[in-house]
Amino acid sequence: MFDRREFLKLAALAAAACATQRNDEGTWVNDIHSQLNKTWVSRVRKPASTEELRRAIRESRVVCTAGGRHAMGGQQFATDATLLDMNAMTRVLSLDESNGI
């Protein structure tokens, strides 16, 4: 018979094993500052052109986007989604100076 302390240790080990072992080919991502939003994404795509971005969106069931990964509210990642890392999209295609868009 386990005492309470042994039971809690075993439960914590089992929970950790379940949380870190994944069978798919994705990866863990997190925000840069707080490191409080560790999330499993199915893949990370880094489109460098509009066409690559379109293709990534078409080929994905669910997408989430990230730039600098500075957001810390948990909204920046979606579990099992394709993360679109937008850092390579550095060219401004158009600018509406009168409306600031």
Side-chain angles (χ1 to χ4, degrees), residues 11-82:
L13 287 172
C18 291
T20 58
Q21 291 181 354
R22 302 295 299 239
N23 292 329
D24 16 28
E25 297 177 9
T27 188
W28 291 103
V29 294
N30 211 335
D31 61 84
I32 297 296
H33 299 293
S34 72
Q35 298 288 299
L36 294 175
N37 297 299
K38 185 176 177 183
T39 305
W40 181 265
V41 294
S42 61
R43 70 189 295 190
V44 176
R45 301 279 299 264
K46 297 179 181 185
S49 68
T50 305
E51 184 52 41
E52 287 180 26
L53 177 60
R54 284 188 188 113
R55 189 175 325 115
I57 292 171
R58 273 190 241 114
E59 294 172 356
S60 303
R61 190 175 51 85
V62 177
V63 297
C64 54
T65 60
R69 298 189 191 181
H70 295 288
M72 295 189 300
Q75 75 279 3
Q76 69 272 39
F77 307 122
T79 302
D80 292 323
T82 297

